[in-house]
Amino acid sequence: MLCHLASAGRSSAKLVAPLGCLVSRQKHTLPDLPYDYGALEPHINAEIMQLHHSKHHATYVNNLNVAEEKYKEALAKGDVTAQVSLQPAIKFNGGGHINHTIFWTNLSPNGGGEPKGELMEAIKRDFGSFANFKEKLTAVSVGVQGSGWGWLGYNKEQGRLQIAACANQDPLQGTTGLIPLLGIDVWEHAYYLQYKNVRPDYLKAIWNVINWENVSSRYASCKK
């Protein structure tokens, strides 16, 4: 995760790999939304989207950059204790950045309905029907204790789809090995202003804006 934005053209064989990645890395930035803040209404209102994107996600990005900079300094000094102490912050803020970057693309004002093609066939194969899949992912997401995410992921070793829940901002692939296809944010900041504490109502609404083209594209890519 520390090296995923490093510039390939600036790498050097003379640099030790971890330090080289950190020295040449670019700072993480907040991605633009592919739609307006109000585009997902009435299912997710503009105020939630603006706060969620410009405040919450931006905070993860800023804190990740700070933590990585401190980690780079600790690595240069050979301070293993500092490196270990910074790992929770990198996991939390890095996961928040990864998860939300996926989440925004998983949503669309033209979303909803059901997927088509290979993704739909895989859902029927692994869950019996789209209705069963939708029910299971909703139940897993409702059942997250406190804050976290419900996910549809791809198990590359087994060649099948799986549903999983992750606590807090734990990234799906980094903690379970599953490749993320569809993430549903069930932190209260994702819905409280509109749905209060009734998470099931938010989860019922979000299916109306799921971008199945994006999920299908992710599925096709991870099968290559």
Side-chain angles (χ1 to χ4, degrees):
M1 180 171 65
L2 293 175
C3 303
H4 74 284
L5 287 182
S7 299
R10 298 171 63 186
S11 61
S12 170
K14 295 180 181 180
L15 291 173
V16 177
L19 181 58
C21 287
L22 286 168
V23 167
S24 62
R25 78 171 186 89
Q26 298 173 2
K27 283 192 174 183
H28 305 280
T29 58
L30 181 69
D32 293 331
L33 289 186
Y35 39 77
D36 294 334
Y37 286 134
L40 303 182
E41 290 186 341
H43 310 292
I44 305 177
N45 68 36
E47 185 179 13
I48 286 175
M49 291 299 295
Q50 182 174 9
L51 289 170
H52 199 171
H53 176 258
S54 69
K55 300 299 183 181
H56 290 281
H57 190 174
T59 298
Y60 297 129
V61 171
N62 293 336
N63 289 342
L64 176 60
N65 283 324
V66 170
E68 286 192 346
E69 188 63 30
K70 291 180 178 178
Y71 192 92
K72 182 182 73 174
E73 295 171 1
L75 196 62
K77 294 176 182 177
D79 188 345
V80 177
T81 298
Q83 293 171 44
V84 171
S85 69
L86 286 164
Q87 287 174 10
I90 292 173
K91 179 181 179 181
F92 180 77
N93 292 293
H97 181 35
I98 290 168
N99 293 341
H100 285 88
T101 299
I102 295 169
F103 183 60
W104 307 133
T105 64
N106 278 168
L107 305 177
S108 169
N110 301 315
E114 299 182 358
K116 300 176 182 178
E118 288 188 4
L119 177 61
M120 186 59 152
E121 293 305 312
I123 286 173
K124 290 178 178 178
R125 179 195 68 211
D126 296 330
F127 301 105
S129 67
F130 179 76
N132 285 344
F133 154 71
K134 183 176 176 180
E135 181 180 350
K136 288 181 179 180
L137 181 53
T138 298
V140 164
S141 301
V142 168
V144 171
Q145 295 185 355
S147 301
W149 293 71
W151 288 98
L152 171 66
Y154 180 67
N155 187 319
K156 201 170 183 68
E157 289 185 1
Q158 298 181 13
R160 67 186 185 92
L161 302 174
Q162 285 184 227
I163 287 172
C166 289
N168 301 314
Q169 292 296 352
D170 290 0
L172 182 70
Q173 190 166 4
T175 53
T176 70
L178 298 176
I179 300 172
L181 304 178
L182 169 62
I184 299 179
D185 189 348
V186 290
W187 279 66
E188 284 194 342
H189 65 235
Y191 62 87
Y192 193 86
L193 287 175
Q194 185 171 2
Y195 295 98
K196 307 307 179 189
N197 64 331
V198 189
R199 185 185 288 177
D201 285 356
Y202 158 70
L203 289 167
K204 182 178 179 180
I206 202 169
W207 289 103
N208 294 300
V209 289
I210 297 297
N211 184 355
W212 290 115
E213 288 187 7
N214 178 263
V215 182
S216 295
S217 177
R218 290 179 181 277
Y219 177 62
S221 295
C222 71
K223 287 183 65 184
K224 293 179 181 178

